[in-house]
């Protein structure tokens, strides 16, 4: 429907940029809501966590290690509370 190349270019940018933004937002939500089930596999949990981080990295979304560590600790079930507290105290000292 566009009559000029520049109009077509702008329309294409809008379409693909919104999809890219939607994908980033979806992955970020997946990262922030990723929780390990009580009694679940720690290895599987870490694998999924790392996969989400890698996917975000390929979209040029970066987090510093401190934030990722905190996100990971927050994703653990309540049975890991003592472990999380120990890690946090160790980091603070």
């Amino acid at each position: 429907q566009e009559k000029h190349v520049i109009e077509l270019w702008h329309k294409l940018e809008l379409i693909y940029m919104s999809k890219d933004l939607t994908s980033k937002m979806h992955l970020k939500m997946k990262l922030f809501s990723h929780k390990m089930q009580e009694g679940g596999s720690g290895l599987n949990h870490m694998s999924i966590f790392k996969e989400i981080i890698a996917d975000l990295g390929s979209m040029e979304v970066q987090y510093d290690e401190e934030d990722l560590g905190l996100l990971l600790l927050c994703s653990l079930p309540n049975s890991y509370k003592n472990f999380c507290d120990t890690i946090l105290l160790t980091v603070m000292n």
Side-chain angles (χ1 to χ4, degrees):
Q1 293 177 340
E2 306 303 329
K3 295 179 181 175
H4 295 56
V5 173
I6 191 73
E7 292 171 352
L8 177 61
W9 183 259
H10 286 299
K11 186 156 191 156
L12 286 171
E13 276 184 332
L14 283 175
I15 291 169
Y16 286 104
M17 284 180 68
S18 68
K19 285 184 180 179
D20 190 42
L21 178 61
T22 301
S23 297
K24 283 181 185 179
M25 296 303 288
H26 175 73
L27 277 173
K28 286 180 179 183
M29 287 182 66
K30 189 174 178 180
L31 175 65
F32 296 137
S33 64
H34 180 60
K35 304 289 182 205
M36 181 177 158
Q37 298 299 314
E38 196 68 58
S41 165
L43 186 59
N44 185 52
H45 179 70
M46 280 296 299
S47 177
I48 293 169
F49 186 85
K50 289 170 64 175
E51 181 180 317
I52 297 169
I53 298 302
D55 289 345
L56 284 166
S58 71
M59 298 179 112
E60 298 179 0
V61 176
Q62 302 294 320
Y63 294 95
D64 65 29
E65 290 183 13
E66 182 178 303
D67 290 337
L68 290 176
L70 193 55
L71 278 170
L72 184 59
L73 288 176
C74 290
S75 72
L76 298 174
N78 288 337
S79 61
Y80 283 78
K81 183 177 178 352
N82 289 338
F83 171 76
C84 292
D85 290 344
T86 302
I87 295 295
L88 288 173
L89 286 173
T90 303
V91 171
M92 291 173 62
N93 290 329

